Amino acid sequence: METRDPAPLPRVLLVEDDTISQAYFRAVLEGLPTTVDAVASQACAMARADTTRHDLWLIDLTLPDGSGIDLLLKLQARWPQSPPALAHTADADPDVRLPALQAGFRDVLVKPLATAELSGAVRQALAEAGGLPDWDHAAAAAALNHDPTNVQALRRLFLEELPGARDEVLNSAQRGDAGTLRARLHRLQAGCGLVGAKRLGAAAELLRRTPESRTALERFDHAARDLLS
């Protein structure tokens, strides 16, 4: 089966006024990979968002011209069908977290952030929003020594086995067998990483973490079916 043309990278609006932190966030986000629009203020964020649809908003809660919560509310008014939003802050006070969650942020990340923590939160948010591409060609090439013949051969094998893997996951979920479900998803994630099945791998990770979630199961099923179509 021939692979489809690569989908556009997810686009992230990064709002961070500290130069060093902005550079760090950008490096981690671009390594996922994503396309990053980095700005340092509410005004610049609104100007960028006025003409660009983003797959994720990543917003500092304290900005030079207002709060991140105020910015989120403005962005939500501009884009009623809003993408997921993550807040980040250097303030570890628990009282900071609740108002941000109530405003609509799906999580509040406390700086300094380890690369794995930041990338994991972003991957999960994008997976839930359907913002990841089906195939990550660069990741597959790196995993298989940049040999296109190996990439194509392993992807064919992966796609041949995917219907059975999908059925096992769905059946385990329907039986409520969380142990078998997690084990099968763990094996599937390894294959996804080798062939660059980015969106399915993220959906599998989300379902493995939240096996009781109907939404996570549906996202997994949609990602698998899209690869097989």
Side-chain angles (χ1 to χ4, degrees):
M1 180 182 295
E2 293 184 357
T3 59
R4 292 172 286 180
D5 292 336
L9 294 179
R11 183 173 289 273
V12 177
L13 177 63
L14 168 63
V15 190
E16 169 62 75
D17 63 309
D18 178 70
T19 303
I20 301 300
S21 295
Q22 187 183 106
Y24 170 71
F25 273 74
R26 180 191 285 277
V28 173
L29 294 169
E30 290 180 344
L32 291 178
T34 66
T35 298
V36 181
D37 292 329
V39 297
S41 67
Q42 274 202 41
C44 291
M46 290 305 299
R48 183 61 61 89
D50 193 50
T51 57
T52 305
R53 173 77 187 187
H54 293 92
D55 299 293
L56 174 69
W57 296 327
L58 187 57
I59 301 172
D60 193 346
L61 286 179
T62 304
L63 296 167
D65 55 348
S67 74
I69 290 177
D70 288 342
L71 174 57
L72 178 63
L73 297 177
K74 292 177 183 178
L75 289 169
Q76 289 171 334
R78 172 64 182 84
W79 294 100
Q81 298 297 321
S82 300
L86 294 171
H88 52 95
T89 177
D91 191 344
D93 187 340
D95 291 339
V96 173
R97 180 179 179 83
L98 182 58
L101 297 177
Q102 290 175 334
F105 286 105
R106 71 182 309 278
D107 200 359
V108 179
L109 309 177
V110 179
K111 298 177 284 190
L113 285 161
T115 299
E117 182 182 1
L118 175 57
S119 60
V122 170
R123 284 182 185 276
Q124 185 169 337
L126 288 172
E128 292 182 5
L132 290 175
D134 287 335
W135 294 113
D136 182 346
H137 300 293
L144 297 169
N145 297 318
H146 299 276
D147 186 331
T149 302
N150 286 345
V151 172
Q152 293 299 324
L154 199 59
R155 280 185 176 173
R156 282 194 296 270
L157 179 61
F158 178 83
L159 291 171
E160 288 172 3
E161 296 182 350
L162 182 55
R166 171 180 170 268
D167 288 344
E168 288 182 43
V169 168
L170 296 180
N171 290 337
S172 297
Q174 290 169 359
R175 294 195 308 269
D177 186 350
T180 300
L181 175 64
R182 286 195 174 99
R184 189 63 188 89
L185 289 169
H186 179 75
R187 297 198 304 273
L188 182 59
Q189 281 182 268
C192 288
L194 285 173
V195 301
K198 196 175 192 69
R199 180 180 161 215
L200 180 61
E205 179 181 359
L206 175 63
L207 182 57
R208 187 168 60 87
R209 291 181 177 178
T210 57
E212 73 289 346
S213 169
R214 183 67 185 176
T215 298
L217 182 63
E218 290 175 353
R219 290 195 182 281
F220 169 84
D221 190 27
H222 290 163
R225 286 191 284 110
D226 286 347
L227 282 182
L228 293 167
S229 62

